[in-house]
Amino acid sequence: MDKAQEIQERVELFFAQMAKRLPDDDVRRLRSAYEFAAEAHAGQFRKSGEPYIIHPISVASIVAEELELGVIPIIAAFLHDVVEDTKYTIDDIRARFGSDVAFLVETVTKHKMVECDKSKQVENYRQILGSAQFDVRAILLKLADRLHNMRTLASMRPDKQMKIAGETDYFYAPLANRLGLYHVKSELENLSFRYRCPREYEQLVEMLDDLKVAEDKNLTAFISKVGELIEASGISVRIELRYRKPYSIYRKMRSKGCDFHHVDGKHYVRIIFAAKDPHEEKQISLQIYSALTDRFNELPGSIVNYINAPKENGYQSLHVKLLNDQGGWEEIHISSERMVRNSRLGCSAERTDENVTAWLEKFNALLKDMAYHSEDMDYMDGVTSSFYNDDIKVFTPNGKMVILPKGATALDFAFEIHSKIGLHAVFARINGKLSPVKAVLHRGDCVEIGINESAEPDEEWQKHVLTYKAKRLLRSHFADKEVMPYKRCECCHPLPGDEVIGFKEADGTITLHKRNCSEAIRLASEQGDSIVAVDFEEKNSCLFPVRVCIRSVDRYHLLIDIVSCITEKQNLSISRLDTITKDRIVETSVDFAVHSVNELEQAMNSIACIENVDEVSRIDIE
């Protein structure tokens, strides 16, 4: 079968599926849009060598089948690259397909801008986000476009892969998450991880495959027992075992400073039931919870009720952890069919619930505020700090709920209440306990801020806030910024042998970052044209400080063996050593210098072989 015939069969199958849920007139409009796009892109090819029309077809399929959007965004998906890549204009689109379609196409069309100080990538982000106040479907269309581009990224050259993957991880994946599109977010960030750090990605895939085989027997028995218990209570459910993706596990490894084998929650069990209305959903979920906790012990404090208190993007479910027969904790998600569908489709579903409506209103208000204060602070910093974290709900002493990003501090809370409270904050009381204003808040905390009219902010506060409002007000208060040029990233501390990427500064200085460095991902998304290929090779004259954390079971001579292993066996010089023993568990932090990542790994492997050593991990030197 030749390529043209293959494309035609795929298109006809698509229209046959659309005919099952759309009126005949709408299907005719879709076919007209496809035919126009096919004519416009005739003779054009992608980097892979495939006819270009395959891309609009694929994006339209994602919009229609994976996001379940209506006829106008599907038409726009067929046409989304016509203005950018062909002779046709936005006026041609408007004349043929109407103003709504033209608006969506214009939003996802990159504007041809003259050279200026502002990054073209940032301006494209601003253009996309700005469209939300008029029609959120423009963002959904752009996410579908990015999803197909990531699925076909293998055909691009490596530097282009890094640029696109960096944009995706920094901007598009978190945006999908905040819009409630969990499956889109998960696929985007994993594809980004695959191309940014292929070695680590493949290692995690292999370890996950091995783990699935090892856990299969016990998990099958656990799920079977869960099904029997629920069936005995008269409730019909379907049960899914879902393993988390490599990037999710990798992120946990980094945040907790542990290896793959010490990461918890690599899988979860989802119990899905049918219900007629929200009242019945709550009733059935509690019945299932009751049936399971009659048989399995529950981890105290593990229950999280997202049904009564949904996440800001509308996510609902009842989470709890149960003790399995092997002594491990199983994470359980109890959800209705409606909740599962909404968690997949997010704001792309036809929803009118208050949470999603309120989130979109907040989204638009904040975008307008950022546009007004665009000269006061970095635009993308404001966007990411405001939208790209999971949220927590905390409360004032009089019961008012305040929604903040996960990891926010009492300072963020203070600025959210009022700018003067933030600027004059002195202390916090969290659940009645006196705490510093830099204290990190947790879901459900009751927070009170103590102020003094004569008090002034400390400059270091800027490192302890997450929200756009707090950052903007503090940056305004401290007008002067320090910018220190450097040659080696002080966040990720790359070593020779690491997978690295370089960024060329305006003065010609090249800064090296690990390819998985969050700062490198941000720079790749905003200043992709400054990426340069680098050779960071080991040199005998260059030593780099590193720090490792060693967890062990205490025994006689343990510390001497660790020191001996590093200094005598590995011939490395120790510059700092801290050790704490609690209940016969020893945690030792050691600073020494190495020539390369291979030398570091060799030292860590050697330390891991010492009797009673359980875990060795590299941690950042602050």
Side-chain angles (χ1 to χ4, degrees), residues 311-373:
K311 290 188 177 183
E312 199 172 6
N313 60 22
Y315 174 83
Q316 290 181 290
S317 185
L318 184 68
H319 293 190
V320 67
K321 290 184 179 179
L322 305 177
L323 189 66
N324 63 28
D325 293 337
Q326 290 73 44
W329 294 108
E330 296 290 349
E331 184 178 340
I332 310 296
H333 296 183
I334 304 170
S335 312
S336 70
E337 294 284 2
R338 179 192 66 84
M339 294 173 194
V340 170
R341 181 175 186 272
N342 284 352
S343 73
R344 180 174 65 85
L345 296 178
C347 71
S348 67
E350 294 179 1
R351 299 167 61 183
T352 58
D353 46 291
E354 293 178 1
N355 292 292
V356 174
T357 302
W359 185 87
L360 290 174
E361 288 176 355
K362 178 181 175 182
F363 187 99
N364 292 334
L366 197 49
L367 288 173
K368 290 176 181 177
D369 186 44
M370 285 188 291
Y372 181 77
H373 295 284

Side-chain angles (χ1 to χ4, degrees), residues 244 248-258 263-265:
R244 289 194 163 89
S248 176
I249 294 171
Y250 166 79
R251 189 164 47 206
K252 278 192 175 185
M253 289 167 60
R254 291 198 71 190
S255 67
K256 296 186 176 181
C258 63
V263 169
D264 59 355

Side-chain angles (χ1 to χ4, degrees), residues 188-199:
L188 285 176
E189 66 187 10
N190 273 282
L191 287 168
S192 172
F193 182 45
R194 174 184 175 187
Y195 288 104
R196 287 187 292 104
C197 307
R199 184 173 63 194

